[in-house]
């Protein structure tokens, strides 16, 4: 069946069938990734460029490794050290990369909608690696893949997401994608970090952490994004961790053995104590591995789409 569009801009644009195709392809890619020989030839003779206007460890490195494991030429451009620092516009930068016969551009940008803006101007496929506070589709895909792999399905599963909802592109992509796969998503965070109308994504806004995590199959903490806050949205870290953190006591309210997740990077002692981050139920490290498998799947399916065109 494959993907319908040349770009992967958000989970808003994907059908449930397309999401499942990515997750099933990621299963195969994880077998390759965890085998003795990670090399495939799916992207041989192709080029993948990561264009990052914001910092990243997991997303950028996993895309770079994924493309290299699959045999493509790959390179990275970041805002510092490129002609972006001389004032070159986003569109000129993207067109310049496109004109080097690039097949796929992976872009992270601080402005919501930046990848949607450049995609129609380019021959290359554009993958959104996080745009402002809008979406982070491949993070949500790896989160969903982790639940799919561990629990067999997302249909009917109860998922809790707690933390800085306002600034989180991860929560938006997850709420959209998980609903498409039939999960029930509850969210909770400080009122000052809860965007108006978030329930329109199809998730329930809980009354407190206990209400959010009760009887859930998976519990996800979100990072407090201090770099996006222009004024303090909570009184102190001590109060935040008292009222909004996923503590061992809160995790006990979820189903026995519920998955403990976090997209990373984590502020230890703020959204999660280290004891929870490292607990037996934590799949945070597996999420990182799954990020490579899911990004291999995304690159594979986008290249298959390009080959059709
Ligand atoms: N989860 C995530 O996007 O992490 P990075 O910012 O390290 O890519």
């Amino acid at each position: 069946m494959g993907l319908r569009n040349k770009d992967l801009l958000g989970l808003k644009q994907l059908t449930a069938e397309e999401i499942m195709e990515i997750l099933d392809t990621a299963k195969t890619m994880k077998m390759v990734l965890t085998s003795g020989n990670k090399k495939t030839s799916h992207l041989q003779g192709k080029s993948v460029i990561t264009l990052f206007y914001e910092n990243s460890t997991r997303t950028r490195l996993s895309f770079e490794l994924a493309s290299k494991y699959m045999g493509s030429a790959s390179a990275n451009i970041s805002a510092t050290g490129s002609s972006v620092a001389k004032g070159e516009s986003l569109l000129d930068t993207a067109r310049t990369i496109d004109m080097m016969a690039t097949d796929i551009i992976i872009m992270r940008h601080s402005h919501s909608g930046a990848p949607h803006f450049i995609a129609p101007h380019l021959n290359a496929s554009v993958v959104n690696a996080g745009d402002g506070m809008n979406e982070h589709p491949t993070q949500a895909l790896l989160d969903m893949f982790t639940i799919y792999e561990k629990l067999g399905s997302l249909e009917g599963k109860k998922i809790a997401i707690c933390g800085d909802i306002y600034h989180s592109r991860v929560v938006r992509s997850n709420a959209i994608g998980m609903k498409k796969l039939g999960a029930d998503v509850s969210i909770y965070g400080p009122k000052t970090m809860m965007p108006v109308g978030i329930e329109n994504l199809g998730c329930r806004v809980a009354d407190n952490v206990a209400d959010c995590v009760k009887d859930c199959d998976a519990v996800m903490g979100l990072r407090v994004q201090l770099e996006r806050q222009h004024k303090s949205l909570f009184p102190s870290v001590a109060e935040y961790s008292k009222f909004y953190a996923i503590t061992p006591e809160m995790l006990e309210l979820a189903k026995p053995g519920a998955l403990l997740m976090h997209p990373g990077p984590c502020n230890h002692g703020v959204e999660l104590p280290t004891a929870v981050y490292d607990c037996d139920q934590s799949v945070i490290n597996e999420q990182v591995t799954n990020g490579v498998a899911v990004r291999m799947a995304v690159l594979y399916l986008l290249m298959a789409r390009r080959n059709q065109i």
Side-chain angles (χ1 to χ4, degrees), residues 80-137:
T80 49
S82 71
S83 290
V84 172
K86 300 178 201 162
E88 188 162 39
S89 73
L90 171 60
L91 189 55
D92 285 353
T93 302
R95 277 183 172 147
T96 301
I97 297 168
D98 194 40
M99 291 315 292
M100 295 184 189
T102 300
D103 291 288
I104 301 181
I105 298 176
I106 320 287
M107 189 173 84
R108 172 170 287 188
H109 202 282
S110 56
H111 285 103
S112 300
H116 309 67
F117 166 62
I118 61 163
H121 297 279
L122 308 182
N123 176 54
S125 294
V126 176
V127 178
N128 181 0
D131 64 321
M133 301 190 305
N134 179 39
E135 278 218 46
H136 191 348

Side-chain angles (χ1 to χ4, degrees), residues 52 55-60 108 129 136 139 142 169-170 223 263-265 295:
F52 274 56
N55 296 336
S56 168
T57 298
R58 291 153 197 77
T59 313
R60 197 176 96 177
R108 172 170 287 188
H136 191 348
Q139 177 66 45
L142 80 85
R169 50 200 178 201
V170 174
R223 184 171 68 91
R295 287 164 179 135

Side-chain angles (χ1 to χ4, degrees), residues 150-206:
K150 293 281 177 192
L151 306 181
S153 165
L154 276 97
E155 179 77 43
K157 297 292 183 297
K158 290 179 70 177
I159 318 290
I161 307 180
C162 299
D164 181 354
I165 305 292
Y166 185 79
H167 298 102
S168 179
R169 50 200 178 201
V170 174
V171 78
R172 284 175 187 76
S173 284
N174 267 313
I176 294 165
M178 288 177 177
K179 184 179 158 60
K180 286 185 179 178
L181 297 194
D184 292 325
V185 180
S186 295
I187 59 172
Y188 180 67
K191 286 259 185 304
T192 49
M193 292 176 160
M194 196 62 75
V196 176
I198 186 79
E199 61 282 359
N200 294 336
L201 295 179
C203 47
R204 178 181 78 93
V205 178

Side-chain angles (χ1 to χ4, degrees), residues 60-298:
R60 197 176 96 177
L61 185 56
S62 58
F63 266 119
E64 283 180 21
L65 287 175
S67 60
K68 283 180 174 143
Y69 290 152
M70 297 169 80
S72 80
S74 61
N76 172 252
I77 312 265
S78 45
T80 49
S82 71
S83 290
V84 172
K86 300 178 201 162
E88 188 162 39
S89 73
L90 171 60
L91 189 55
D92 285 353
T93 302
R95 277 183 172 147
T96 301
I97 297 168
D98 194 40
M99 291 315 292
M100 295 184 189
T102 300
D103 291 288
I104 301 181
I105 298 176
I106 320 287
M107 189 173 84
R108 172 170 287 188
H109 202 282
S110 56
H111 285 103
S112 300
H116 309 67
F117 166 62
I118 61 163
H121 297 279
L122 308 182
N123 176 54
S125 294
V126 176
V127 178
N128 181 0
D131 64 321
M133 301 190 305
N134 179 39
E135 278 218 46
H136 191 348
T138 58
Q139 177 66 45
L141 287 166
L142 80 85
D143 295 336
M144 288 190 282
F145 176 72
T146 304
I147 296 169
Y148 180 49
E149 192 184 39
K150 293 281 177 192
L151 306 181
S153 165
L154 276 97
E155 179 77 43
K157 297 292 183 297
K158 290 179 70 177
I159 318 290
I161 307 180
C162 299
D164 181 354
I165 305 292
Y166 185 79
H167 298 102
S168 179
R169 50 200 178 201
V170 174
V171 78
R172 284 175 187 76
S173 284
N174 267 313
I176 294 165
M178 288 177 177
K179 184 179 158 60
K180 286 185 179 178
L181 297 194
D184 292 325
V185 180
S186 295
I187 59 172
Y188 180 67
K191 286 259 185 304
T192 49
M193 292 176 160
M194 196 62 75
V196 176
I198 186 79
E199 61 282 359
N200 294 336
L201 295 179
C203 47
R204 178 181 78 93
V205 178
D207 294 334
N208 48 51
V209 178
D211 175 40
C212 194
V213 304
K214 193 166 165 23
D215 298 326
C216 275
D217 298 279
V219 178
M220 186 187 298
L222 293 177
R223 184 171 68 91
V224 177
Q225 299 191 33
L226 294 169
E227 76 277 18
R228 294 193 206 277
Q229 293 183 25
H230 304 298
K231 56 183 181 205
S232 183
L233 296 174
F234 54 90
S236 68
V237 167
E239 271 163 314
Y240 188 94
S241 58
K242 180 168 176 197
F243 291 104
Y244 304 104
I246 300 163
T247 59
E249 296 72 35
M250 288 296 128
L251 192 55
E252 274 197 13
L253 299 174
K255 281 193 184 148
L259 307 178
L260 184 278
M261 307 177 72
H262 193 297
C266 177
N267 297 307
H268 286 253
V270 184
E271 61 262 15
L272 299 181
T274 299
V276 170
Y277 186 96
D278 286 332
C279 73
D280 289 344
Q281 289 162 248
S282 173
V283 291
I284 295 170
N285 290 330
E286 283 172 76
Q287 286 176 265
V288 175
T289 308
N290 291 342
V292 184
V294 162
R295 287 164 179 135
M296 287 171 80
V298 164

